[in-house]
Every structure is written in C-alpha cells, then in structure tokens.
C-alpha cells in the first residue's frame, strides 16, 4: 500500500499526482478542490514536500483546461512544483483506432462493449515540443520544470548492469588461476603432455587464449559454463558447446566442445578477441528430453532470485491478427482469412509485427550477482519452477545482462540411444569426442544421400548435393553443411565450388596471399573465419580488427 511505498522511497523518487485516475485528480472530480487539497497534503506528508509534483495532463480532452487550472492553483497554494505530461497511449493520431482495439483485446471485450470506457477522441498521442509549448503557455515555467525533470530522470542502462556471481574456487585461487589449473589438468587428455603434444602449437594457443580471457576478466564465465557441462557429464546427459565456441582451444581442453580447433586451424578471435565488448557467447546443446534437469540445476545453484529465463516477444502474425481483430470488432473468426470482412482485414494489417504477449526463449538464461528483479521485472512462468524476465535477449544484451543458452537438441538424445546400443551389443563406450570420424561405410551412405533423419544433412538441398560432393573425410562434411546456408547460396558460392570440386573449373584465386585462407575450399569463400583470415593475410589487419570487420559485415 501507499504507506509501504512511502517507507521505501528514501527521497529518490519524483511522485507525480497522475492522470485522471490518480488520487488527486480523482478527488477533484468526485469531491471538488477541498478533497483534492486533502489528497495533495497526504502525498506531501508521505513522500516529502520536495518530492511531490503536481501533474497537468494536456490531451485537448473536454475538461482538461478547467482541471489543469484548478490543479495549478492548488499547487501554488501548497508551494509544490508543477510538471506536464501528454498521458500518451499511442505515437500518432492515426493510431488511435488501433490503440482502442488493442485495449479491447486486452480486456477480452469488443469495441462496442468497451465504448463507454474508451476516450471520446484520439488525442492521447505523442506531441512535439512546439505543440506542448503552445499548450502550456498559460502555465509559465511548467515547460522548463518538465524538461528539467526529464533530464534528472535520464539514465544509462550501465547503472543497472549486474556482474556474474563469483564462482567458488579453492583457497589460494582466483577465477583466472583456477581456469588455468583446469586447463592444465585436462589438456593432456586432448593434446598430449606439454612438450610431447600431439597437435603442434596446441599449448601455445592455449596460453594465448588464457591470457586474453584473463585480461578481459571472463574467467568466471568459462567456469560457470564448465560447471554446467560437468553436471551433465556426472548425470549422463549429452551436452556440448556449439557455434563460435568451437574456435576455442580452452573450450575444447576443458570439455565444453568436442572438435579440436587447433588441428582445424580455426580462429579464436572469431569467438573472443581483446577488442570485444561484452562476454563471449557459448551456446550449449543438451539432449532435449533432459534439458529441464539442467535448467533446474542452474536454478538450484544460483537460486530463483538470481537466475531467470529470457523472454521471447511473440508478435502478431496474419492468422492471429485476424482472429484478435475480429474479436475486437465483434465478428466471428472466419474459417479462411480471405473471408474476413474488410474492416477486420484493415485492422489486422495495422496489428502486424506488434508485440502480443511474452513467451520463454528457447534456452536463454540470465545469472546475476544480485536479485534479477533489481535489474529487470520478472514473473513466474506457467511451467513450475521457472522464473521469466520481461525482457528479450536483445534488451538483456543492451542492459549488460549475461545470457547462457541451454538449447534442447533431439539429435543428441538419438545419439545417446545409439551410444547405449553400442555399449550393450559391442561392449564399446563412446562419447561425443570419441565417435569414429573416418568410417568408410558412413561416407558411402552419405555419398548415396542415404541421410533421412541425419541431422544437418537431411534436407532436399543437402541430399541433392551429397552425391555430387561425395564426402570422404570429416572436413568434407564441414564444407557440405556450410554450402547449403543462406550466406553461400545468396553470395553465389555454391555452384563455383561444385564446379571446381568436379574439375570443371580451375581452383584459382586472385592472389597467392589468399591461399592459406581459401586453399581448403578451392578458392571459394564459405566461412566467416575465411573472411577474417583474408583481412589478416592480405590487408595486414590484426585479429581484433578482422573480427570488427566481420561484425560490421554481419
């Protein structure tokens, strides 16, 4: 109640008297100036004389001038500051009808049923500065005080940006030193012992990456992701990192990813560079039927107060817009969109791409060093044991919240079943890292496009390309998957590569300095890493500059 709010404000709030529904204007409407004066005195007593501002609403509605004149007079008698607002409900006058329809939809009523509660005219729009100045001429000084309040309330989202919670490390360690210790313990299983490494340059790459991670202060981030992966390993849940995290030897060494980036010559700077603004992005694929166990582990570890899932803003699409527009106009939803009345179609068209409601992002979780509710509004989800932010992933990134993606993948569940079958019938124990990658029988099936149900190579376009490419080793599969993507298709890379692969066209390139980047793909660029390598080799870019170029091109 208002007394509890008064105890909590500590002098940091500017308390406005509100629109016609506020206590002071409502008292004025129902009981006259004396009632409004009593309410104004109560607010000043509760929140402090210097913190209460009398609000004049300027919408050109009938009664505005008389109400504003009385409120301004009461403010002068009480020696309270006066500010003005537009009580804005939509951006431009043309959107008044749309705003009324959306209000009816929220109330689960038709516009006809809502008629008595809706404003008589579309005046609640966002006015320009000159228009507001003209409306406020009769109240000297109000425009200046309103602008002053606006400047005082302006803030940068960096003021609320939380950090990650401190990761618990053994005595004598920092997060950075404990990450180094983990890498030192686990890297020999991946690369062999230092001095006898199986992959030349592996330990030098690990050292370089650890220096960058420590310099940027992201050691705790890697430890949190590693802890989630460790939970999955201990509970026999298949999980692995995806995306640009595969470019990191540190991620590979500590088991977050399962493909060696050093032997495949992947660029770490595509994943994390010294010039990066914000933490890296490590997405974890988890077998879909057990993903909820991992989500609940994160909640248990950090508490419901400090962990929450990112919202997904569900926008209006044609069918949903037609249905809601029909309800607002009192029409029965048509079986076919083409049968909808013209008025319904017109309203539905104006609703397109507007936000309708919040869902839960497919896997994004935020973890904070303080209650999430102090940074962003949260709400309980319908699913038990889940807390949801009221922001989407872009809002979270803008405000500096660190997001972890825990994504469900059905193919990992299928692989887990396969591993169990192999163990049961052949006595062999496989992991994601130990699956044989060069089995001729598998490549024979791939070359015959026998790939129904095989993740990433089962589309019609992939099945049409496989017999022509006829992959013979793992990197051929990497190229196969990369070819059938929007970038190479729209960029015209697919057919030149296939012609060169078939020997119908010479694998030339404009300059020999491009060979390290384009040699394995026959002179045809397919990957973002290749563009970065070209910038480094041909234009003298640093890795940091090359990554900035990649981001700019994206």
């Amino acid at each position: 109640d208002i007394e509890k709010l008064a105890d909590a404000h500590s002098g940091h709030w500017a308390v406005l008297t509100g629109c016609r529904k506020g206590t002071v204007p409502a008292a004025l409407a129902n009981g006259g100036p004396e009632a409004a004066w009593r309410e104004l005195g109560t607010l000043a007593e509760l929140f402090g004389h210097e913190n209460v501002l009398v609000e004049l609403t300027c919408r050109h509605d009938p009664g505005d001038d008389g109400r504003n004149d009385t409120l301004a007079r009461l403010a002068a008698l009480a020696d309270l500051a006066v500010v003005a607002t537009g009580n804005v409900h939509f951006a431009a006058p043309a959107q008044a009808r749309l705003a009324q329809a959306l209000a009816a939809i929220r109330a689960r009523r038709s516009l006809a049923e809502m008629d008595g509660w809706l404003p008589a005219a579309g005046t609640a729009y966002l006015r320009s500065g000159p228009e507001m100045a003209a409306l406020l001429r009769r109240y000297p000084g109000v425009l200046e005080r309103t602008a002053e309040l606006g400047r005082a309330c302006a803030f940068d989202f960096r003021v609320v940006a939380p950090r990650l919670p401190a990761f618990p490390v053994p005595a004598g360690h920092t997060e950075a030193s404990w990450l180094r210790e983990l890498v030192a313990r686990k890297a020999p299983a991946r690369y062999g012992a230092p001095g006898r490494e199986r992959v030349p340059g592996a330990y030098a790459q690990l050292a370089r990456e650890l220096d960058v991670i420590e310099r940027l202060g992201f050691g705790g981030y890697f430890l949190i992701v590693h802890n989630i992966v460790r939970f999955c390993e201990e509970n026999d849940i298949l999980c692995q990192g995806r995306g640009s995290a595969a470019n990191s030897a540190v991620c590979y060494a500590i088991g977050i990813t399962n493909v060696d980036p050093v032997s495949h010559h992947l660029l770490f700077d595509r994943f994390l560079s010294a010039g990066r603004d914000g933490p890296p992005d490590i997405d974890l694929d988890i077998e879909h039927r057990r993903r909820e166990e991992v989500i609940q582990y994160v909640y248990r570890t950090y508490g419901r107060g400090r962990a929450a899932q990112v919202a997904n803003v569900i926008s209006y699409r044609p069918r949903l817009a037609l249905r809601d527009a029909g309800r607002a106009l009192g029409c029965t939803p048509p079986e076919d969109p083409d049968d909808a009345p013209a008025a319904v179609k017109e309203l539905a068209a104006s609703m397109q791409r507007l936000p309708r409601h919040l869902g839960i992002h497919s896997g994004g979780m935020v973890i904070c060093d303080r209650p999430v509710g102090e940074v962003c509004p949260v709400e309980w989800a319908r699913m038990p044991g889940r807390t949801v932010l009221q922001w989407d992933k872009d809002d979270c990134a803008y405000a500096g919240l660190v997001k972890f993606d825990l994504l469900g993948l059905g193919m990992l569940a299928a692989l887990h079943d396969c591993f169990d079958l192999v163990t049961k019938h052949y006595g062999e124990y496989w992991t994601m890292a130990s699956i044989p990658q060069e089995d001729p029988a598998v490549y024979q099936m791939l070359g015959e496009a026998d790939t129904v149900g095989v993740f990433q190579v089962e589309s019609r376009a992939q099945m049409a390309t496989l017999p022509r490419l006829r992959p013979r080793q793992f990197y051929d599969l990497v190229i196969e998957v990369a070819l059938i993507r929007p970038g190479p298709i729209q960029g015209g890379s697919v057919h030149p590569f296939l012609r060169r692969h078939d020997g119908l066209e010479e694998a030339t390139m404009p300059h020999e300095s491009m060979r390290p980047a384009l040699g394995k793909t026959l002179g045809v660029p397919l990957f973002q890493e290749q563009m970065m390598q070209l910038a480094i080799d041909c234009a003298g870019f640093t890795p940091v500059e090359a990554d900035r170029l990649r981001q700019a091109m994206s």
Side-chain angles (χ1 to χ4, degrees), residues 28 31 35 108 114 138 148 195 209 307 439 501 549-551:
L28 178 63
R108 299 179 184 274
M114 288 285 291
R138 62 195 292 163
E148 181 183 340
E209 291 188 17
D439 189 327
H501 178 271
L549 175 63
R550 177 194 64 80
Q551 292 174 9

Side-chain angles (χ1 to χ4, degrees), residues 267-526:
L267 276 175
F268 173 69
D269 302 272
R270 166 69 176 86
F271 167 62
L272 182 63
S273 65
R276 185 185 179 96
D277 181 21
D281 188 12
I282 302 178
D283 298 344
L284 292 179
D285 281 332
I286 300 161
E287 51 178 302
H288 73 291
R289 60 196 172 196
R290 302 191 64 187
R291 182 172 71 114
E292 187 61 25
E293 294 177 50
V294 184
I295 289 172
Q296 291 305 320
Y297 171 71
V298 174
Y299 278 127
R300 287 196 308 274
T301 303
Y302 299 100
R304 286 284 293 280
R306 295 172 187 258
Q309 288 171 271
V310 176
N312 186 29
V313 179
I314 310 300
S315 300
Y316 272 108
R317 299 298 172 88
R319 187 173 295 276
L320 197 54
L322 280 168
R323 190 182 73 183
D324 279 3
R327 286 174 176 169
L329 295 176
C331 301
T332 303
E335 294 293 330
D336 188 332
D338 293 336
D339 296 334
V344 173
K345 288 182 179 179
E346 183 181 354
L347 178 58
S350 67
M351 292 163 61
Q352 290 296 314
R353 293 186 297 279
L354 288 176
R356 184 180 189 271
H357 64 275
L358 293 180
I360 301 181
H361 185 270
S362 58
M365 289 197 77
V366 160
I367 303 171
C368 295
D369 63 347
R370 69 187 79 161
V372 185
E374 294 181 6
V375 181
C376 166
V378 296
E379 60 188 50
W380 291 156
R382 289 185 180 180
M383 185 178 291
R386 288 186 173 201
T387 307
V388 188
L389 299 170
Q390 293 184 2
W391 290 350
D392 67 12
K393 61 184 179 66
D394 295 327
D395 298 331
C396 291
Y398 182 78
L401 287 157
V402 181
K403 177 173 66 73
F404 298 83
D405 277 337
L406 310 177
L407 306 166
L409 187 61
M411 186 50 65
L412 281 181
L415 281 169
H416 199 161
D417 291 341
C418 290
F419 291 169
D420 291 344
L421 288 169
V422 168
T423 302
K424 178 180 177 180
H425 293 286
Y426 296 96
E428 296 182 32
Y429 178 75
W430 285 357
T431 66
M432 294 295 293
S434 64
I435 299 174
Q437 293 186 356
E438 308 302 341
D439 189 327
V442 173
Y443 290 101
Q444 178 67 26
M445 294 173 69
L446 289 166
E448 295 169 357
D450 185 5
T451 58
V452 173
V454 181
F455 182 55
Q456 289 196 317
V457 288
E458 60 179 327
S459 69
R460 289 187 178 183
Q462 293 283 4
M463 293 173 74
T465 309
L466 280 164
R468 189 169 175 185
L469 188 61
R470 299 198 67 82
R472 287 286 179 265
Q473 58 185 3
F474 183 76
Y475 195 77
D476 293 343
L477 277 180
V478 175
I479 292 174
E480 167 71 36
V481 172
L483 273 176
I484 311 301
R485 288 183 302 124
I489 291 171
Q490 293 170 10
S493 297
V494 177
H495 293 296
F497 178 85
L498 291 174
R499 286 196 299 269
R500 293 178 180 206
H501 178 271
D502 293 344
L504 302 176
E505 183 179 302
E506 189 179 353
T508 59
M509 51 196 75
H511 195 272
E512 269 305 301
S513 62
M514 297 179 172
R515 192 163 298 280
L518 301 180
K520 294 180 77 172
T521 56
L522 307 180
V524 179
L526 299 178

Side-chain angles (χ1 to χ4, degrees), residues 93-140:
Q95 294 176 318
R97 181 67 168 170
L98 173 61
Q100 292 177 343
L102 293 174
I105 291 166
R106 285 195 299 272
R108 299 179 184 274
R109 296 183 180 184
S110 69
L111 278 165
E113 293 171 314
M114 288 285 291
D115 189 54
W117 285 269
L118 294 172
T123 57
Y125 62 90
L126 185 63
R127 288 173 167 78
S128 66
E131 191 174 358
M132 285 298 289
L135 288 172
L136 293 171
R137 275 181 306 197
R138 62 195 292 163
Y139 307 110

Side-chain angles (χ1 to χ4, degrees), residues 221-264:
Y221 179 91
F222 284 81
L223 292 174
I224 288 174
V225 176
H226 173 260
N227 185 53
I228 296 171
V229 172
R230 180 196 57 77
F231 169 80
C232 293
E233 290 174 352
E234 292 177 354
N235 290 274
D236 195 27
I237 301 171
L238 280 193
C239 164
Q240 71 168 6
R242 68 144 73 171
S244 63
N247 292 37
S248 167
V250 167
C251 286
Y252 178 63
I254 62 178
I256 292 173
T257 57
N258 288 298
V259 176
D260 174 20
V262 181
S263 61
H264 286 289

